[in-house]
Amino acid sequence: KQTDNQLIIDAGQKQFGATMCRSCGMLYSTDSPEDNFQHTQFHQRFLDTIKFVGWKKERVVAEFWDGKIILVLPEDPKYATKKAEDVRRIADSELGFQQITLSSPSSAKTYLFINSDRMVVGCLVAENIRQAFRVLEQPEKPKDINKEDFMERHRAWCCSTVPEKAICGISRIWVFSLMRRKSIATRLLDTVRNTFMYGSHLTKEEIAFSDPTPEGKLFATKYCET
Ligand code: ACO
Ligand code: ZN
């Protein structure tokens, strides 16, 4: 109890005087020299990483009024695989993943959502898998704790121990913070289902999310039921 309250107070103070950069989305306090320094360090590097100049050969797998999705494969030219890796690093650091390595790099397909401002605003890494463990229904949330705490606590044991057949594992899905809730993740996943296996359309049961974050779970639950 005591610690929960303390956390809320601290968060409140941190929000105080905080500014969100309209270009890179970083939340920082303009009053703090250290925050300003960190923002300056992050800002340009981030924008350079998500900048997409266009390639001679692009594997465009979907097109929309507000952007397109391109697919990068491990055997593609260095400039393409490097961009995919750099964007994946950004996603990883936001997700708090420590290791950069993938479980099967040779089969990893990276889908990048490029918006009309030529920025990579979404990234999805899909890999071949044979089996997955279904995420189980959540027990009712007790009234006295907030949603994030609850989901964080239950993250470890929410999966079934019975393996089920799956074909495509989503090891990362990330959308630029300023571009969320515009169906970018939904469109990335729809595109994966249509293009992951040549000539066939995967059902929602044939794809599996690996170790979802609370946000990832909210999205996956919504996506899988609709
Ligand atoms: N809270 C509640 N519901 C949500 C949320 C959320 N934060 N995000 C998505 N949904 C649900 C909504 O019902 C939404 O529909 P609506 O906007 O009409 O209400 C629906 O999912 C579809 O959402 P999209 O717009 O397609 O999702 P978005 O492009 O915003 O991307 C994502 C979602 C990828 C989870 C994004 O929030 C993100 O990058 N978060 C940080 C990184 C992360 O946690 N990634 C998942 C890790 S798990 C893994 O990689 C296997
Ligand atoms: Zn910035």
Side-chain angles (χ1 to χ4, degrees), residues 11 24 74 91 95 136 149 152 160 162 172 179 197 204 213 220 224:
C24 75
L95 290 168
L136 298 175
D149 284 350
E152 194 52 49
S160 147
V162 187
R172 315 271 196 290
M179 298 287 163
M197 251 174 88
K204 285 175 182 172
T213 56
C224 291

Side-chain angles (χ1 to χ4, degrees), residues 39 51 189:
H39 173 240
K51 186 167 85 191
L189 263 180

Side-chain angles (χ1 to χ4, degrees), residues 8-190:
I8 290 160
I9 293 164
D10 286 345
Q13 282 166 343
K14 217 174 171 204
Q15 297 285 101
F16 188 73
T19 311
M20 163 118 66
C21 175
R22 281 160 181 261
S23 326
C24 75
M26 183 170 165
L27 195 64
Y28 68 105
S29 161
T30 44
D31 313 328
S32 152
E34 196 197 321
D35 268 28
N36 277 310
F37 177 73
Q38 280 192 344
H39 173 240
T40 320
Q41 290 263 316
F42 175 81
H43 185 93
Q44 202 52 48
R45 194 159 37 96
F46 178 84
L47 293 178
D48 285 346
T49 305
I50 68 167
K51 186 167 85 191
F52 182 81
V53 290
W55 301 330
K56 259 184 287 174
K57 274 189 180 170
E58 291 171 9
R59 199 178 290 102
V60 179
V61 287
E63 280 185 285
F64 308 97
W65 67 273
D66 59 345
K68 63 184 173 191
I69 296 175
I70 60 171
L71 169 61
V72 178
L73 300 176
E75 64 268 23
D76 281 352
K78 187 80 183 150
Y79 58 79
T81 54
K82 184 171 186 306
K83 180 57 81 178
E85 199 179 312
D86 289 348
V87 175
R88 204 178 65 224
R89 277 218 180 86
I90 285 193
D92 280 355
S93 65
E94 209 171 299
L95 290 168
F97 285 171
Q98 289 306 310
Q99 94 279 32
I100 307 292
T101 51
L102 296 166
S103 50
S104 51
S106 58
S107 85
K109 297 183 164 82
T110 307
Y111 292 79
L112 302 175
F113 191 107
I114 317 289
N115 74 2
S116 7
D117 293 328
R118 291 166 165 254
M119 295 193 295
V120 184
V121 294
C123 170
L124 184 156
V125 180
E127 295 173 88
N128 284 313
I129 54 165
R130 295 233 181 82
Q131 60 178 37
F133 300 92
R134 185 164 297 277
V135 175
L136 298 175
E137 270 310 310
Q138 295 289 301
E140 261 314 297
K141 173 176 85 71
K143 280 198 186 67
D144 58 342
I145 85 169
N146 71 38
K147 203 184 210 167
E148 281 70 33
D149 284 350
F150 178 76
M151 292 191 123
E152 194 52 49
R153 268 176 228 172
H154 290 255
R155 193 169 159 186
W157 51 268
C158 60
C159 289
S160 147
T161 50
V162 187
E164 291 177 45
K165 205 170 135 254
I167 292 168
C168 169
I170 308 301
S171 70
R172 315 271 196 290
I173 181 161
W174 169 87
V175 171
F176 176 27
S177 60
L178 299 177
M179 298 287 163
R180 289 185 189 157
R181 306 302 284 269
K182 295 179 194 295
S183 305
I184 291 175
T186 302
R187 287 180 279 171
L188 279 164
L189 263 180
D190 287 343

